[in-house]
Amino acid sequence: MEIREAGPLAGGMLRFGIPAYRLPREVLDGEVARLVEAGVTLTLNHKVEDVLRERDEGGFDAVFMAIGAHLAKRVDIPAREAGRILDAVSFLEQASLCVEQGLPPPKLGRRVAIYGGGNTAMDAARTARRLGAEEAMIIYRRDRDHMPAHAFEADEAEEEGIKINWLRSIRHMDESRIEVEEMTLDGDGRPVPTGRIETLEADSLILALGQEVDLTVLETIPGVRVNQEGVVQVGENLMTDVPGLFAGGDMVPSQRTVTIATGHGKKAARHMDAWLRGEHYQKPPSHPLIGHEGLHLWFQTRAPASDQPVMAAAARQDFREIVGGLSEGEARYEASRCYSCGNCFECDGCYGSCPEQAIEKLGAGLGYRVDPARCTGCSACHDQCPCNAIEMEEAR
């Protein structure tokens, strides 16, 4: 198994799209090291131009494409040649390499404006402050209620001194000024110009208006379908119309989040394994959901949730992690708070409550077996089961 990565470091958008204060690089590097230790070959600085040729030359039986959305969307701004303009994706990548490899930081000037209202815009503004900008402001054409960014992202940005200019759209830019027009929202939440003009001071402008996937690699693969949104069409098993060619993450129709992309990797691995065996993977059915009303709690305890450590806004001057994780002890404590709704955790309550000794312990992690010859159907085991993992059925 081999991963071929176009960049100088592994991680893709996790490394070049998410700042280190959100995802510490030692954590990411640790995950990459685990893959290498498991026997995965990692090839860096290798951009794949012809997937089918590299598949055949490398002797691979299946391929999973997971190209991130590294291309920034553009917008026409009059006189933009006169101002210093960057795109947020490239800016965050340069900032990451600056922190990790000591490369020169992007030249921003004293005052930086960021155009956009998503999480990337928030990250770009906060990164600019950490790289030395005295003032970083966000310009967004809708209001807070209609921004695509998570509310906590905007809250944290404002805590760090980022000013957000809501309901503003850029009309013109020169070397040190940005002309914006005040907007209002119609009944459907769409921005409408008002004709009122303002001037903001800025030495550079970072565009954070969305991202796209570079699909030029598909030009050498006949038969792969791309929909109107510019993403690859795949089946339920994440395989394209080309047998053995799978795709996931930002490349396919889905939310562009780390959680979704990671899930696609796991899902694709299962389907690829089944496809190579000439089989079809079918996800095992989940246990039925059990609500709190279905629990039979014969114990009471107070176990409040642990609080993750949060760095004070005044201390956020570098790329250290802002919201810390849990220690091993805290993580174990959090796991112990779980009621295990609907899932047996081998508390031995059923084993001890059965008057007929019809329940046999099978060993740690193996659960129990009910002897139908001894069971009278008294339901003592069911009635005391704290997590409602036992179901009573009529004998057939």
Side-chain angles (χ1 to χ4, degrees), residues 48 71 239 278:
V48 175
L71 296 182
M239 188 163 70

Side-chain angles (χ1 to χ4, degrees), residues 140-162:
Y140 183 52
R141 60 192 187 128
R142 291 185 172 88
D143 59 11
R144 176 183 279 269
D145 293 336
H146 293 84
M147 67 177 179
H150 298 305
F152 74 87
E153 290 272 12
D155 292 340
E156 290 181 358
E158 290 181 321
E159 288 173 1
E160 296 176 13
I162 307 298

Side-chain angles (χ1 to χ4, degrees), residues 222-249:
V224 175
R225 288 180 296 147
V226 178
N227 67 16
Q228 293 180 345
E229 285 73 38
V231 290
V232 178
Q233 287 296 113
V234 292
E236 186 275 334
N237 61 352
L238 295 180
M239 188 163 70
T240 67
D241 293 337
V242 178
L245 183 61
F246 296 77

